[in-house]
Amino acid sequence: KMSLLAKIGEIENEMARTQKNKATAHHLGLLKARLAKLRRELITPKGGSGGGTGEGFDVAKTGDARIGFVGFPSVGKSTLLSNLAGVYSEVAAYEFTTLTTVPGVIRYKGAKIQLLDLPGIIEGAKDGKGRGRQVIAVARTCNLILIVLDVLKPLGHKKLIEHELEGFGIRLNKQPPNIGFKKKDKGGINFTATCAQSELDAETVKSILSEYKIHNADITLRSDATADDLIDVVEGNRVYIPCIYVLNKIDQISIEELDVIYKIPHCVPISAHHRWNFDDLLEKIWDYLHLVRIYTKPKGQRLMFLFSLSKGALVWGSSVKHNPQKVGKDHVLEDEDVIQLVKK
């Protein structure tokens, strides 16, 4: 009996050998669906065996947001974590055995932000061993992922880490695909595309769905979608997380090179060791977390979460024309608005 990993490897190899063109699109779509189904077994915690005790990677979510740090050993991830949070983490003992992660917590603009080292994500957490599964589960709950890279050799690492995270059903800096998908009891596959499709046709869509034993469904493609997009929608367990690439060790490059790096999207160059450019990094973190500070009236009570407004609310601040203004539950609050709930 082949192991899950061996099966995954086999399909990945076949995909790598297959040329991408119109003729093979159908076959590749099927392979991708099979791969996604196998990977789901890795993501889903195994129930029933009462397993996973003593593995110890289960971190209570505290504060207002959680940031997961991913990076190869020796890129300066531990230095960055300890210098950002003042949390001392044992740099040398970088083994898969370091048990429960002790998260650092930083305060920024009044928000409590949890910093979490996600160990061993790259070193084969995906083989689904107990500990790896728990790290994946925690990674999927992050509000933001920071991929720490060595500025001298960033691209190889970046690709590998992205590939791993994608395999855990995590989509970085992406929006969910604009695809309508509705299962039905009868009526076959009803396929509509509202715009030209470069990869998917009715036949490929049907065969991907039949791989999932889905024979009755409405599918609407509202953008030029890939087989991967369709599979993401059918799987339904994808998480869409913003990501910042932290390029460390900028003390080792020239100013000219630094200028180039600044133009790369989602990137912040820093020196963890010298604590250079931490202010830029924190500003970008804040930006990507999309947190909103809301001051409640009477002042002092601060709500960092968005609640279902009671009967409505009075708002003072930049999101309203008049101060105060009565708003309903669909009103979008802006940073530092003050809000007073109107009791039912």
Side-chain angles (χ1 to χ4, degrees):
K1 189 169 162 288
M2 275 175 92
S3 76
L4 204 51
L5 265 195
K7 286 183 194 161
I8 286 175
E10 204 173 60
I11 293 181
E12 282 183 331
N13 289 339
E14 189 180 343
M15 283 170 64
R17 283 197 306 268
T18 310
Q19 273 188 310
K20 268 188 93 165
N21 56 43
K22 264 281 187 248
T24 60
H26 183 78
H27 179 59
L28 277 170
L30 274 177
L31 289 175
K32 284 175 175 173
R34 276 174 207 152
L35 187 60
K37 281 163 63 183
L38 291 169
R39 284 215 176 120
R40 181 177 357 126
E41 290 183 45
L42 287 183
I43 302 171
T44 336
K46 283 258 196 291
S49 59
T53 46
E55 299 280 6
F57 197 91
D58 194 20
V59 189
K61 202 165 181 175
T62 59
D64 305 301
R66 161 181 277 184
I67 303 178
F69 285 69
V70 186
F72 278 85
S74 79
V75 294
K77 183 174 67 161
S78 309
T79 310
L80 175 59
L81 270 162
S82 47
N83 282 352
L84 265 182
V87 170
Y88 182 73
S89 78
E90 200 63 86
V91 179
Y94 201 96
E95 297 302 317
F96 213 31
T97 54
T98 45
L99 272 178
T100 311
T101 231
V102 177
V105 174
I106 55 173
R107 267 200 177 279
Y108 187 65
K109 295 191 178 185
K112 275 171 73 179
I113 299 170
Q114 190 184 57
L115 308 180
L116 211 49
D117 184 7
L118 299 171
I121 275 228
I122 313 104
E123 306 92 323
K126 223 177 40 211
D127 57 13
K129 296 212 172 72
R131 171 66 190 270
R133 271 176 210 259
Q134 287 172 312
V135 177
I136 293 165
V138 172
R140 287 170 54 95
T141 66
C142 290
N143 303 91
L144 172 66
I145 286 177
L146 259 57
I147 295 180
V148 187
L149 300 163
D150 184 330
V151 74
L152 298 171
K153 42 171 186 290
L155 292 175
H157 281 185
K158 178 175 180 282
K159 270 209 153 58
L160 278 166
I161 293 172
E162 285 171 341
H163 180 71
E164 288 292 297
L165 292 171
E166 288 267 311
F168 308 145
I170 293 171
R171 301 290 171 261
L172 302 171
N173 293 330
K174 281 199 181 120
Q175 292 299 316
N178 198 347
I179 296 177
F181 169 57
K182 198 162 146 262
K183 285 198 235 183
K184 303 180 298 189
D185 292 336
K186 51 180 192 291
I189 301 294
N190 184 15
F191 170 79
T192 20
T194 61
C195 56
Q197 297 296 318
S198 52
E199 186 172 318
L200 292 176
D201 54 21
E203 188 201 355
T204 305
V205 167
K206 268 192 182 132
S207 60
I208 288 174
L209 291 176
S210 71
E211 184 65 36
Y212 284 95
K213 306 203 170 22
I214 297 169
H215 304 292
N216 301 292
D218 293 333
I219 290 278
T220 313
L221 307 180
R222 301 192 192 91
S223 61
D224 188 3
T226 63
D228 292 310
D229 292 337
L230 177 61
I231 290 164
D232 280 355
V233 168
V234 175
E235 284 278 344
N237 62 358
R238 306 304 191 225
V239 286
Y240 296 83
I241 304 180
C243 171
I244 296 171
Y245 301 96
V246 182
L247 291 171
N248 188 22
K249 307 188 184 178
I250 54 171
D251 47 312
Q252 302 179 14
I253 61 168
S254 69
I255 297 291
E256 291 75 32
E257 288 171 301
L258 196 54
D259 281 344
V260 173
I261 287 168
Y262 255 108
K263 297 190 174 72
I264 305 170
H266 314 298
C267 268
V268 182
I270 61 147
S271 163
H273 180 67
H274 298 290
R275 304 179 188 215
W276 291 348
N277 215 20
F278 277 16
D279 46 354
D280 254 19
L281 177 58
L282 285 165
E283 197 45 59
K284 203 169 191 89
I285 283 172
W286 179 262
D287 212 28
Y288 277 51
L289 282 173
H290 301 299
L291 286 175
V292 176
R293 278 172 295 182
I294 303 150
Y295 297 101
T296 58
K297 248 179 139 42
K299 206 65 183 267
Q301 180 64 47
R302 229 180 239 197
L303 297 179
M304 292 296 301
F305 49 89
L306 299 175
F307 37 79
S308 53
L309 292 176
S310 42
K311 197 174 175 184
L314 293 172
V315 171
W316 290 255
S318 52
S319 71
V320 289
K321 287 195 179 68
H322 321 288
N323 278 310
Q325 184 176 322
K326 194 167 185 221
V327 300
K329 69 170 174 21
D330 295 328
H331 179 74
V332 177
L333 293 156
E334 286 185 12
D335 201 15
E336 300 204 17
D337 279 358
V338 171
I339 181 167
Q340 186 175 359
L341 294 183
V342 178
K343 289 216 170 71
K344 285 195 164 69

